[in-house]
Amino acid sequence: MTRLGLLTSGGDCPGLNAVIRGAVLSGVVSYGYDFVGFRDGWKGVLEGDVVPLPRHAVRGIARFGGTILGTSRTNPLTSGGAEAVRESLRRLAVDGLVAIGGEGTLAAAQELAKRGINVVGVPKTIDNDLDATDVTFGFDTAVQTATEAIDRLRTTGESHHRCMIAEVMGRNAGWIALHAGMASGAHAILIPELTVSLRQVAAWVESAHSRGRAPLVVVSEAFVLEGQDSPFSPRGLDTFGRPRLGGISVLLEHQLQELTGIETRATILGHIQRGGAPTAFDRVLATRLGFAAVDSAANGRWGTMVSLRGTTIVNVGFDAALGRLKTVPEDRYQEAAILFG
Amino acid sequence: MTRLGLLTSGGDCPGLNAVIRGAVLSGVVSYGYDFVGFRDGWKGVLEGDVVPLPRHAVRGIARFGGTILGTSRTNPLTSGGAEAVRESLRRLAVDGLVAIGGEGTLAAAQELAKRGINVVGVPKTIDNDLDATDVTFGFDTAVQTATEAIDRLRTTGESHHRCMIAEVMGRNAGWIALHAGMASGAHAILIPELTVSLRQVAAWVESAHSRGRAPLVVVSEAFVLEGQDSPFSPRGLDTFGRPRLGGISVLLEHQLQELTGIETRATILGHIQRGGAPTAFDRVLATRLGFAAVDSAANGRWGTMVSLRGTTIVNVGFDAALGRLKTVPEDRYQEAAILFG
Amino acid sequence: MTRLGLLTSGGDCPGLNAVIRGAVLSGVVSYGYDFVGFRDGWKGVLEGDVVPLPRHAVRGIARFGGTILGTSRTNPLTSGGAEAVRESLRRLAVDGLVAIGGEGTLAAAQELAKRGINVVGVPKTIDNDLDATDVTFGFDTAVQTATEAIDRLRTTGESHHRCMIAEVMGRNAGWIALHAGMASGAHAILIPELTVSLRQVAAWVESAHSRGRAPLVVVSEAFVLEGQDSPFSPRGLDTFGRPRLGGISVLLEHQLQELTGIETRATILGHIQRGGAPTAFDRVLATRLGFAAVDSAANGRWGTMVSLRGTTIVNVGFDAALGRLKTVPEDRYQEAAILFG
Amino acid sequence: MTRLGLLTSGGDCPGLNAVIRGAVLSGVVSYGYDFVGFRDGWKGVLEGDVVPLPRHAVRGIARFGGTILGTSRTNPLTSGGAEAVRESLRRLAVDGLVAIGGEGTLAAAQELAKRGINVVGVPKTIDNDLDATDVTFGFDTAVQTATEAIDRLRTTGESHHRCMIAEVMGRNAGWIALHAGMASGAHAILIPELTVSLRQVAAWVESAHSRGRAPLVVVSEAFVLEGQDSPFSPRGLDTFGRPRLGGISVLLEHQLQELTGIETRATILGHIQRGGAPTAFDRVLATRLGFAAVDSAANGRWGTMVSLRGTTIVNVGFDAALGRLKTVPEDRYQEAAILFG
């Protein structure tokens, strides 16, 4: 009997449990496979820390956030190497791995595949910055959660005639800011891909204010003001590696209020964006990716990852996802900028 | 100055207001256009019933369901004809129409375009059954709303060890059932595209029950049991054109309970699926379609409609959407059937 | 060591799990008690069907709907009698019972207490029709869920200029209709406590329509039109004991549309009102009731139930809850009727 | 004809629009009154900045957050004095005021009433720290919003085996922390009423961690660690009067992680707690308070405020609300502490 091992790695992401459900059900029902789950990502692989995953272990989990397997940021290549992975799989009689994770995990999976280990990847990031897939699961939930929160901020802004700033996640790409900003009708959307001057942001804020609106600014955590340091530059970080001043939105709050004279309030949405129940969109996408990952294993398509193209799930090489980040293209930003006008 | 007229036609759909916002902002900010809105769809065109749509009329509307313009099922071809439309637009100095609607509206728009009237279409249906676009706005909200409701039904099913049936919309295609069923972990999904015998449905229900689950059935309103009449067949309808017996789920409730002996309860989700605040996904998609419709007008692409392909908004001919319904393909249904197993 | 037994009985209700969590944590942490749970209400008591309830069995359950213990409508008095209950508790070494249920369960608990069995009651009903407590847990969630659904119906009503009817639960009392109707701005609220003529309902609908509103009617399932049969009268029920015609709202839909000429659509919200995640209000109330039930046991207040008075949890005799239903008083209905005006 | 003036003052609060709706409908329908709204609280009174409030101005507003009248923190006594208020009301022919606001507004209203100005108060604060009413509207929405956000944080904590800290509002009282903490199953709830040592907090966190849980801490913004400064002490504030270091949760994040060695993440929920759509509970309560405020005016009960007692709306003197804050009593905190154990 074929035994597959599942692992979830990297930051939490809504939909992980739906991938696990999809993979196990598909494997059990369609192929008669047996499953184990590795605890806490690659750490579980290296330590042989494993839980059985019979069918009933995945019942009802798709609608919950988080991952029943736990996750960590352990990198198998630096923490043990391919041989340790191979040896662990051999000892546990695991024929192949389904690795659900972000860029780091997919890069590791690629390396392991090159060394002959059977592995299929499932791309995961709320940031949507992985190339080779139209969208990653978790992104829709992050955008929906951020949008609902910003809808709340907006009424308070309007009641007080204040400028409200919402800081959303997005370390390398501004997709969450772009979509949540478009959905909530932001008057300025600020993303890491594009440096903007404080003066320009103030101009957008004042333009909205002059039309009688409560200005709304949606900013990615990694946005950099023209002529200023990144909030994630080494000297901006505290000893825990987190922005010392609380983030770009707090900086903007002070600078915008000073420059425009408009009362301004920042809110950092933070971790609520990566936890909790996935949207139906993410549950469907994640379930389909789980199905497809097991199909890939069954068809011997090791060394590939599953991805969404239009409405179809396809297999692509890891190279396709790892060459470069999928950042917000100029034309998508210009399109959204109509809202600022 | 160019003046465009907007109209929303057919059944209510979350995202209509976001299309209107997108179109007006894009037109005003990017092109300096002037807008009017026709009340209640084509009826407003034929009657010259019109409201001005300055920029401030669309402020903040994208996050609300419904349509600020109202809607109706009036067909311009049967109710007045192309000449009446042309005359109305001339009298109101409207240079072109953006018609937001479903199959009927797009077919009418195509006919009007053939007769030289400037019209751009925006496809709309919660049912997602229009071809030529990867997905229609409104569908994501319908699926999300249905899924949240089914999540609620599920806990009650489990507490009582009952079979719960949720009836969702979908007159011609089972997309809502397919996606809401996958998202909520249904043990049977029943769609109009595929006749299934009562015995097969009962087998799925009993299989879930025997594994200790509370069986969950998600059924499209237009599903037809093998050997039985459609709920929408003429003799099944009352004088208002609605299913006399309350719908397929009520029929199933009785028949399944009788056949399996498992206590069964049906809920018809009904109109909550087509109203209310759109999801962030639908707001973004609808906003982009509104932008693109005005771009199409500005570029003289009359006689086309805007549509989503992957992550890109493109123009397609009306023919592409009108040839045939986009129903659930066999392979998508088989994929989901893994959950029934 | 003291051992308590928990059971949940009657219809599903959001907050049951929070009561269970509260009771177990309070018992384990404050008193060093041991707990078992009876499966499926009194059925589990009579059959000795029991699960251990250590602390970790209740972790994280408060935020989920349903009951981890299962429920049924078994009545211990008619199905086995006090002696069978006593014998079962003796055999399982259970020192006392915490019975979470509605009127039937509380009446049974009262009878058992009279016969010397240690039992504490926790009142439960989404209908809020139990006297002796300001409010029952589950009611707030039912009202919130109904209100969110009606908010969705309302936008569709407005887009189409239709009258929308929402049928909510409430077999004996109109509390859900009253609160959901007030929250959603209904133009008519129809409750079982008060017969109203079709003509009066039509007058309210027409009044709203004439002011340019889309009329919204919120109706309890057990409302009776003047001069007509109750939807729950014997000859209105099918062989499963459910309203043959789909419910009062379907009847109203036809009659109102015929009388007023206004297009009318009914939606029966159904079981979504009694399942799913409880609101924070219900989680807090239910947790506190669970705490208090165990305090009652610890203090030997057997034969009482816990209840909310203002912001305080108190003990009351079963008599206080069982004398009569808490129906909507005339002045609360008249207060709400301001909205119909 | 009697003319009443409405104003909303102080921080934004879900339910303000429902009070306005309730007051205007009750006044128009039951008493034939005429209404005006003052813009931005007392500022509008002093400046005579007024909008008409006919019935149709309040249609559909109860389900939206914020206030259609705007708000400000202007104090009428220090900014103009009673004479200026009296003169403004006279000039605008306003016979009486309904002032919706927090402690400051109610204190001002009391003073104005003493000087013979007709004013009725409606207590408002999301913090629930006003005495003389069982609960204030806005509180339920704040708790619900915080709880939903914390539910999301919790799944991420569990996936990563992290300690999650959620900082909620509550400048003077810990009600939001108490209720959101109980609802979400916090392992430590920290409120301004009770200084706790870092060592004790760490002990609670380690206890949960040792039981295999992801520790969850819910902390009021104004909680003070034993032996440390308040986050709102003068030297902790920046030039905008906001905590320099981002708030108590950021401090705790660092200190707890250092002391326990458990990875810890803080999220400041911030303004999302005071904006957005009110819960059904708050809509009903706020509507009833609006009704009752106008009844009070009609019955000449000037110089009082409306408040909730059990399930009844009553009139109380301003003194009752202003004597002292309603803080979390010791026994309610001890009750919740069962969850920490």
Side-chain angles (χ1 to χ4, degrees):
Chain A
M1 185 192 253
T2 299
R3 167 176 288 178
L4 295 184
L6 301 183
L7 67 89
T8 53
S9 174
D12 194 19
C13 182
L16 288 168
N17 281 327
V19 179
I20 296 168
R21 174 190 71 158
V24 170
L25 284 186
S26 168
V28 170
V29 171
S30 306
Y31 300 105
Y33 288 174
D34 181 35
F35 285 87
V36 293
F38 290 101
R39 276 195 222 269
D40 300 338
W42 296 103
K43 190 159 164 285
V45 178
L46 295 170
E47 299 179 357
D49 189 2
V50 87
V51 286
L53 278 181
R55 180 179 186 159
H56 67 78
V58 303
R59 65 182 267 180
I61 65 171
R63 65 186 189 276
F64 300 130
T67 162
I68 58 168
L69 297 177
T71 184
S72 71
R73 298 198 183 270
T74 298
N75 182 327
L77 301 178
T78 58
S79 299
E83 275 322 297
V85 171
R86 189 194 317 275
E87 177 53 24
S88 174
L89 299 185
R90 195 195 56 73
R91 208 169 42 237
L92 295 161
V94 170
D95 302 297
L97 271 179
V98 175
I100 311 162
E103 215 200 350
T105 283
L106 300 176
Q110 182 181 38
E111 188 59 29
L112 294 174
K114 281 184 188 159
R115 307 214 187 165
I117 292 171
N118 288 341
V119 58
V120 169
V122 180
K124 175 229 66 160
T125 163
I126 62 163
D127 288 351
N128 196 36
D129 58 1
L130 278 174
D131 220 343
T133 185
D134 278 3
V135 66
T136 47
F137 72 86
F139 173 64
D140 188 67
T141 305
V143 170
Q144 180 66 25
T145 303
T147 299
E148 288 176 11
I150 297 170
D151 282 351
R152 292 197 172 273
L153 297 181
R154 189 170 169 153
T155 68
T156 297
E158 284 166 1
S159 296
H160 288 275
H161 318 296
R162 275 180 193 155
C163 173
M164 301 301 275
I165 306 176
E167 180 175 324
V168 298
M169 285 187 162
R171 192 63 66 90
N172 301 299
W175 289 107
I176 296 177
L178 183 78
H179 280 233
M182 285 183 76
S184 58
H187 303 100
I189 296 173
L190 305 172
I191 60 176
E193 289 86 343
L194 200 73
T195 294
V196 176
S197 70
L198 180 65
R199 198 157 299 277
Q200 173 64 75
V201 182
W204 284 328
V205 163
E206 284 167 338
S207 161
H209 197 253
S210 72
R211 295 195 310 274
R213 314 298 309 272
L216 174 63
V217 178
V218 176
V219 57
S220 286
E221 56 182 336
F223 167 73
V224 181
L225 269 173
E226 193 180 285
Q228 301 195 8
D229 270 0
S230 161
F232 291 98
S233 70
R235 59 185 199 165
L237 299 180
D238 65 18
T239 53
F240 293 93
R242 291 178 317 246
R244 196 186 309 280
L245 292 176
I248 180 66
S249 62
V250 175
L251 202 78
L252 268 175
E253 177 189 51
H254 286 71
Q255 297 190 356
L256 274 176
Q257 181 160 329
E258 221 158 51
L259 190 59
T260 65
I262 300 167
E263 200 185 19
T264 302
R265 288 284 183 283
T267 302
I268 303 174
L269 298 183
H271 287 278
I272 63 171
Q273 294 164 84
R274 62 165 72 253
T279 58
F281 180 98
D282 277 336
R283 296 191 211 175
V284 172
L285 174 56
T287 301
R288 296 183 70 199
L289 291 172
F291 288 165
V294 169
D295 287 342
S296 303
N299 293 308
R301 294 204 201 95
W302 303 112
T304 69
M305 55 177 251
V306 290
S307 99
L308 181 71
R309 287 284 186 217
T311 61
T312 310
I313 308 291
V314 298
N315 282 84
V316 298
F318 287 118
D319 281 338
L322 297 172
R324 56 183 195 84
L325 284 175
K326 182 176 67 180
T327 52
V328 175
E330 174 77 12
D331 63 327
R332 285 297 308 277
Y333 189 77
Q334 289 312 327
E335 180 192 57
I338 290 168
L339 301 173
F340 313 167
Chain B
M1 185 192 253
T2 300
R3 167 177 289 179
L4 296 183
L6 301 183
L7 67 89
T8 53
S9 175
D12 193 20
C13 182
L16 287 168
N17 281 326
V19 179
I20 296 169
R21 173 190 71 159
V24 169
L25 284 186
S26 169
V28 170
V29 171
S30 305
Y31 300 105
Y33 287 174
D34 181 35
F35 285 86
V36 294
F38 290 101
R39 277 196 221 266
D40 299 339
W42 296 103
K43 189 160 164 284
V45 177
L46 295 169
E47 298 179 359
D49 189 1
V50 88
V51 286
L53 278 181
R55 179 179 186 158
H56 67 78
V58 303
R59 66 181 268 180
I61 64 171
R63 65 184 188 278
F64 300 129
T67 161
I68 59 169
L69 297 177
T71 183
S72 70
R73 298 196 183 269
T74 300
N75 181 328
L77 301 178
T78 58
S79 299
E83 276 322 296
V85 172
R86 191 195 317 276
E87 177 54 22
S88 175
L89 299 184
R90 198 197 51 74
R91 207 169 43 237
L92 295 161
V94 171
D95 302 296
L97 271 179
V98 175
I100 311 163
E103 215 199 351
T105 284
L106 300 175
Q110 181 181 38
E111 189 59 29
L112 294 174
K114 281 183 189 161
R115 308 216 186 164
I117 292 172
N118 289 340
V119 57
V120 169
V122 180
K124 173 229 69 155
T125 163
I126 62 162
D127 289 349
N128 196 37
D129 59 1
L130 277 173
D131 219 343
T133 184
D134 278 4
V135 65
T136 46
F137 72 87
F139 173 65
D140 188 67
T141 304
V143 171
Q144 179 66 25
T145 302
T147 300
E148 288 177 9
I150 298 171
D151 282 352
R152 293 197 173 274
L153 298 181
R154 189 170 169 151
T155 69
T156 296
E158 285 168 0
S159 295
H160 289 274
H161 318 296
R162 273 181 196 153
C163 173
M164 302 300 276
I165 306 175
E167 179 175 325
V168 299
M169 287 187 161
R171 192 62 67 93
N172 301 299
W175 290 107
I176 296 177
L178 182 78
H179 280 233
M182 286 183 76
S184 58
H187 303 101
I189 298 173
L190 305 172
I191 60 177
E193 289 87 342
L194 200 72
T195 294
V196 176
S197 69
L198 180 64
R199 198 158 298 276
Q200 172 64 73
V201 181
W204 285 327
V205 162
E206 285 168 338
S207 161
H209 197 252
S210 72
R211 295 194 311 274
R213 312 297 309 274
L216 175 63
V217 178
V218 176
V219 58
S220 286
E221 58 183 333
F223 167 73
V224 181
L225 270 173
E226 196 180 282
Q228 301 196 8
D229 269 0
S230 160
F232 293 98
S233 70
R235 57 183 199 165
L237 300 180
D238 65 18
T239 53
F240 293 94
R242 295 187 302 255
R244 194 187 310 278
L245 291 176
I248 179 66
S249 61
V250 175
L251 202 76
L252 267 175
E253 178 189 49
H254 287 70
Q255 299 191 354
L256 273 177
Q257 180 160 329
E258 222 158 50
L259 191 59
T260 66
I262 300 167
E263 200 185 19
T264 302
R265 288 285 183 281
T267 302
I268 303 174
L269 298 183
H271 288 278
I272 62 170
Q273 295 164 84
R274 61 165 71 256
T279 58
F281 180 97
D282 277 336
R283 297 191 212 173
V284 171
L285 174 57
T287 301
R288 295 182 71 198
L289 291 171
F291 289 165
V294 169
D295 288 342
S296 303
N299 293 309
R301 295 203 200 95
W302 303 112
T304 69
M305 56 176 250
V306 289
S307 98
L308 179 72
R309 287 283 187 216
T311 61
T312 309
I313 308 292
V314 298
N315 283 82
V316 298
F318 286 117
D319 282 336
L322 296 172
R324 56 183 194 86
L325 283 175
K326 182 175 68 181
T327 52
V328 174
E330 174 79 12
D331 63 329
R332 284 298 308 278
Y333 188 77
Q334 289 312 328
E335 181 193 56
I338 290 169
L339 300 173
F340 312 168
Chain C
M1 185 192 252
T2 300
R3 166 177 291 179
L4 296 183
L6 301 183
L7 67 89
T8 52
S9 175
D12 193 20
C13 182
L16 288 168
N17 281 327
V19 179
I20 296 169
R21 173 190 72 159
V24 170
L25 284 186
S26 170
V28 169
V29 172
S30 305
Y31 300 105
Y33 287 173
D34 181 36
F35 285 86
V36 293
F38 291 102
R39 278 195 221 266
D40 300 338
W42 297 102
K43 190 159 165 282
V45 178
L46 295 170
E47 300 179 358
D49 189 1
V50 86
V51 285
L53 278 181
R55 179 180 186 158
H56 67 78
V58 303
R59 65 181 270 180
I61 66 171
R63 65 184 188 277
F64 300 129
T67 161
I68 59 168
L69 298 177
T71 183
S72 71
R73 298 196 183 271
T74 299
N75 182 327
L77 301 178
T78 58
S79 300
E83 276 322 296
V85 172
R86 190 195 317 276
E87 177 53 22
S88 174
L89 299 184
R90 195 195 54 74
R91 208 170 41 236
L92 295 162
V94 170
D95 302 297
L97 271 180
V98 175
I100 311 162
E103 215 199 353
T105 284
L106 299 175
Q110 182 181 37
E111 189 58 30
L112 294 174
K114 280 184 188 160
R115 309 216 185 163
I117 292 172
N118 288 340
V119 58
V120 170
V122 180
K124 174 228 68 156
T125 162
I126 63 163
D127 288 350
N128 198 35
D129 59 1
L130 279 173
D131 219 344
T133 186
D134 279 3
V135 66
T136 46
F137 73 87
F139 173 64
D140 187 67
T141 305
V143 171
Q144 179 67 25
T145 302
T147 300
E148 288 177 11
I150 299 170
D151 282 352
R152 292 196 174 273
L153 296 181
R154 189 171 168 150
T155 67
T156 297
E158 285 167 359
S159 296
H160 288 275
H161 319 295
R162 276 181 193 154
C163 173
M164 300 301 274
I165 306 176
E167 179 175 324
V168 298
M169 286 188 161
R171 192 63 66 92
N172 301 300
W175 289 107
I176 296 177
L178 183 77
H179 280 234
M182 286 183 75
S184 59
H187 302 101
I189 296 173
L190 305 172
I191 60 176
E193 291 87 342
L194 200 72
T195 294
V196 177
S197 68
L198 181 65
R199 197 158 300 278
Q200 173 64 74
V201 182
W204 285 327
V205 162
E206 284 167 338
S207 162
H209 197 252
S210 72
R211 296 195 308 276
R213 311 300 307 274
L216 175 63
V217 178
V218 176
V219 58
S220 286
E221 56 184 334
F223 167 73
V224 180
L225 269 173
E226 196 180 283
Q228 302 196 6
D229 270 0
S230 160
F232 292 98
S233 70
R235 57 183 199 164
L237 299 180
D238 64 20
T239 53
F240 294 94
R242 268 123 50 195
R244 197 187 309 277
L245 291 176
I248 180 66
S249 61
V250 174
L251 203 75
L252 268 175
E253 179 189 49
H254 287 70
Q255 298 191 357
L256 274 176
Q257 180 161 328
E258 220 159 51
L259 191 59
T260 65
I262 299 167
E263 199 186 20
T264 302
R265 288 286 183 281
T267 303
I268 303 174
L269 298 183
H271 288 277
I272 62 170
Q273 295 164 84
R274 60 165 72 256
T279 59
F281 180 97
D282 277 336
R283 296 191 211 174
V284 171
L285 174 56
T287 301
R288 295 184 70 198
L289 291 171
F291 289 165
V294 170
D295 287 342
S296 304
N299 293 309
R301 295 204 200 94
W302 303 112
T304 68
M305 55 175 250
V306 290
S307 98
L308 181 71
R309 286 284 187 218
T311 61
T312 309
I313 308 292
V314 299
N315 282 84
V316 299
F318 285 118
D319 282 337
L322 297 172
R324 56 182 195 85
L325 282 176
K326 182 175 70 180
T327 52
V328 174
E330 174 78 12
D331 62 328
R332 284 299 306 278
Y333 189 77
Q334 290 312 326
E335 181 193 57
I338 289 168
L339 301 173
F340 314 166
Chain D
M1 185 193 252
T2 299
R3 167 177 290 181
L4 296 183
L6 300 183
L7 67 90
T8 52
S9 174
D12 193 20
C13 183
L16 288 167
N17 281 328
V19 179
I20 295 168
R21 174 190 71 159
V24 169
L25 284 187
S26 169
V28 170
V29 172
S30 306
Y31 300 105
Y33 288 173
D34 180 37
F35 285 87
V36 294
F38 291 101
R39 277 195 221 266
D40 299 339
W42 296 103
K43 190 159 164 283
V45 178
L46 296 170
E47 299 179 358
D49 188 1
V50 87
V51 286
L53 279 182
R55 179 181 187 157
H56 67 78
V58 304
R59 67 181 267 181
I61 66 171
R63 66 185 188 276
F64 300 130
T67 162
I68 59 168
L69 297 177
T71 184
S72 71
R73 299 196 182 271
T74 300
N75 181 327
L77 300 178
T78 57
S79 299
E83 276 322 298
V85 172
R86 190 195 316 277
E87 177 53 22
S88 173
L89 298 184
R90 196 195 54 74
R91 207 170 41 236
L92 295 161
V94 171
D95 301 296
L97 270 180
V98 174
I100 311 162
E103 216 200 351
T105 284
L106 299 175
Q110 181 182 39
E111 189 58 31
L112 294 174
K114 280 185 188 159
R115 308 213 185 166
I117 292 171
N118 289 341
V119 58
V120 169
V122 180
K124 174 229 66 158
T125 161
I126 62 162
D127 288 350
N128 197 36
D129 59 1
L130 278 173
D131 221 345
T133 185
D134 278 3
V135 66
T136 46
F137 72 86
F139 173 65
D140 187 67
T141 305
V143 171
Q144 179 66 25
T145 303
T147 299
E148 288 176 11
I150 298 171
D151 281 353
R152 292 196 172 274
L153 297 180
R154 189 171 170 152
T155 68
T156 297
E158 285 167 0
S159 295
H160 288 276
H161 319 296
R162 276 180 193 155
C163 173
M164 302 300 276
I165 306 176
E167 180 175 324
V168 299
M169 286 188 162
R171 192 64 66 92
N172 302 300
W175 289 108
I176 296 177
L178 183 78
H179 280 234
M182 285 183 76
S184 58
H187 303 101
I189 297 173
L190 305 172
I191 60 176
E193 289 87 343
L194 199 74
T195 294
V196 176
S197 69
L198 180 65
R199 198 157 298 277
Q200 174 65 74
V201 182
W204 284 327
V205 163
E206 285 167 338
S207 162
H209 197 253
S210 71
R211 294 195 310 275
R213 314 297 310 273
L216 175 62
V217 178
V218 176
V219 57
S220 286
E221 57 182 335
F223 167 72
V224 180
L225 269 173
E226 194 181 284
Q228 302 195 7
D229 270 0
S230 160
F232 292 99
S233 69
R235 60 184 196 162
L237 301 179
D238 65 18
T239 53
F240 293 94
R242 276 142 17 212
R244 194 188 309 280
L245 291 176
I248 179 66
S249 62
V250 175
L251 203 75
L252 267 174
E253 177 188 50
H254 286 71
Q255 298 189 356
L256 273 177
Q257 180 161 329
E258 220 158 53
L259 191 58
T260 65
I262 300 166
E263 201 185 18
T264 302
R265 289 285 184 281
T267 302
I268 303 174
L269 299 183
H271 288 277
I272 62 170
Q273 294 164 84
R274 62 164 73 253
T279 58
F281 181 98
D282 277 336
R283 295 191 212 174
V284 172
L285 174 57
T287 301
R288 296 183 70 199
L289 291 171
F291 288 165
V294 168
D295 287 341
S296 303
N299 293 309
R301 296 202 200 96
W302 303 113
T304 68
M305 56 176 249
V306 289
S307 98
L308 181 71
R309 288 284 187 215
T311 61
T312 310
I313 309 291
V314 299
N315 282 84
V316 298
F318 286 119
D319 282 337
L322 296 172
R324 57 184 192 83
L325 283 175
K326 182 174 69 179
T327 52
V328 175
E330 175 77 11
D331 63 329
R332 286 296 310 276
Y333 189 77
Q334 288 312 327
E335 182 192 55
I338 290 168
L339 301 174
F340 313 168

